[in-house]
Amino acid sequence: MHFALFCQDIRQNNWNVFGAEVYVDGRLAHSFGDTQENRHPIYSATKTITSIALGMAADEGKLDIAKPLTDYLPKSIVAEMSCAQREAYRHISLRRLMCMSVAGFPFRPQGESWLRDSLSYPLPHPGLPAFDYSNISAYLAGVAAACALGENLYKYLCRKLFAPLGIYDPPAVFCPDGFFYGASGMELTVNELSRIGLLLGNGGVYEGRRLVSTEYVQEATSVQQMNREGGYGYFLWKYRDGFSINGKWKQKCYVLPTSGLMVTYLSHIEDPGPELKQSMEKHILEREE
């Protein structure tokens, strides 16, 4: 591993990387930049946190991800849906939402009620799973979890996930209906995102404390829906022999169980080019000491 060369690439190319960490067998081996002081937007990496929330709720017996979304929504909201929409949503389980296999949503909710807006779009083939990435899927899954738990999902996460990880009051976004957005809008430090990765990489255990079941983590980090990127789990992406947590402007946590490596970095790079990832793979994943 040549972590210094990765850092050199960041500097020489003026990549807007705030900080990076590398873990070997669960222990911090290398760090660069600001990893613990400042929080930064993690965008769609928020979805992974929503996935963990659903896993914990399922472990508690509060919900079943195989059941339809409408089983968990407020009855008054379901009653407002047209007969055709209610019939379509009979096919849409929480699991389908979590592996992005529902086609027909726009990218994000909008309007005065994001929940009503999200449920208003016709689903062309509700019974046919097909990968279709949308923030609405994560938002609806989070709403279902909140309704099943009878609790604001952010408050639940603060108590059940963030506090045990040593993460306190991370910024988050809420919809006009008052629900945790669940798809984007959170801010974490590099080190805080690493703690999420360490939890999942260790099968749901963090510093000796189990927060979510091994069974759920195994499902969440396995391919549940194929796509052109190699597969998707429960708001997690397949990556090599492991998985990755992804945000849209190169917020990343790569977890590789075979080699015992985990790489986390937060950046703001809107250029879609692969250069930062290629540098990480070249200098961290593919070089021997």
Side-chain angles (χ1 to χ4, degrees):
M1 181 190 304
H2 294 268
F3 184 72
L5 294 180
F6 175 59
C7 299
Q8 179 178 298
D9 279 355
I10 292 171
R11 295 189 185 97
Q12 289 183 346
N13 290 283
N14 292 314
W15 291 329
N16 190 25
V17 176
F18 305 120
E21 292 184 335
V22 176
Y23 289 76
V24 179
D25 296 328
R27 295 181 178 275
L28 181 63
H30 302 282
S31 65
F32 164 83
D34 174 16
T35 61
Q36 300 197 44
E37 184 174 354
N38 293 299
R39 285 170 167 161
H40 302 279
I42 61 170
Y43 296 98
S44 285
T46 305
K47 293 179 176 70
T48 299
I49 292 167
T50 298
S51 172
I52 296 171
L54 270 86
M56 293 189 297
D59 290 342
E60 293 174 20
K62 298 294 181 63
L63 60 78
D64 180 347
I65 65 171
K67 288 188 174 180
L69 166 69
T70 48
D71 282 11
Y72 297 101
L73 296 180
K75 289 182 171 58
S76 59
I77 294 292
V78 176
E80 292 178 15
M81 298 168 66
S82 69
C83 290
Q85 284 294 85
R86 286 198 295 272
E87 175 60 23
Y89 272 89
R90 187 173 63 83
H91 301 278
I92 308 305
S93 64
L94 300 184
R95 180 186 179 280
R96 290 273 307 278
L97 293 170
M98 294 164 68
C99 61
M100 296 289 182
S101 68
V102 181
F105 293 132
F107 183 67
R108 60 175 61 87
Q110 58 187 349
E112 295 181 359
S113 172
W114 290 5
L115 181 53
R116 289 176 174 85
D117 176 72
S118 297
L119 297 169
S120 69
Y121 298 99
L123 305 180
H125 304 289
L128 182 63
F131 187 77
D132 193 2
Y133 191 89
S134 170
N135 280 359
I136 287 178
S137 289
Y139 168 66
L140 289 175
V143 169
C147 293
L149 291 162
E151 181 178 0
N152 180 289
L153 194 60
Y154 177 78
K155 291 182 179 178
Y156 176 82
L157 282 163
C158 284
R159 188 178 76 256
K160 299 284 289 186
L161 177 66
F162 295 138
L165 295 179
I167 299 171
Y168 299 101
D169 303 318
V173 169
F174 301 86
C175 77
D177 300 293
F179 293 104
F180 172 62
Y181 184 17
S184 186
M186 294 204 76
E187 296 182 16
L188 296 176
T189 66
V190 174
N191 185 258
E192 287 170 340
L193 183 58
S194 288
R195 293 176 216 178
I196 302 294
L198 289 168
L199 171 70
L200 294 173
N202 199 36
V205 174
Y206 183 78
E207 293 187 346
R209 179 176 176 181
R210 178 162 299 285
L211 303 182
V212 62
S213 66
T214 299
E215 293 77 14
Y216 180 80
V217 173
Q218 288 175 342
E219 280 192 38
T221 58
S222 300
V223 174
Q224 301 294 334
Q225 176 65 46
M226 282 303 302
N227 58 19
R228 65 184 183 184
E229 289 83 5
Y232 197 75
Y234 296 155
F235 301 140
L236 286 153
W237 297 83
K238 178 65 178 175
Y239 179 73
R240 296 195 174 193
D241 69 305
F243 59 92
S244 67
I245 303 169
N246 294 7
K248 71 173 181 178
W249 301 134
K250 297 181 172 60
Q251 297 82 35
K252 300 284 187 179
C253 180
Y254 298 100
V255 181
L256 299 163
T258 300
S259 60
L261 286 174
M262 188 181 86
V263 183
T264 307
Y265 52 79
L266 293 181
S267 60
H268 188 97
I269 302 173
E270 298 186 20
D271 183 338
E275 291 80 11
L276 177 59
K277 178 182 176 183
Q278 289 173 343
S279 176
M280 181 275 296
E281 291 174 336
K282 177 181 178 181
H283 296 306
I284 298 175
L285 302 189
E286 297 174 356
R287 292 271 185 105
E288 299 296 331
E289 294 285 3

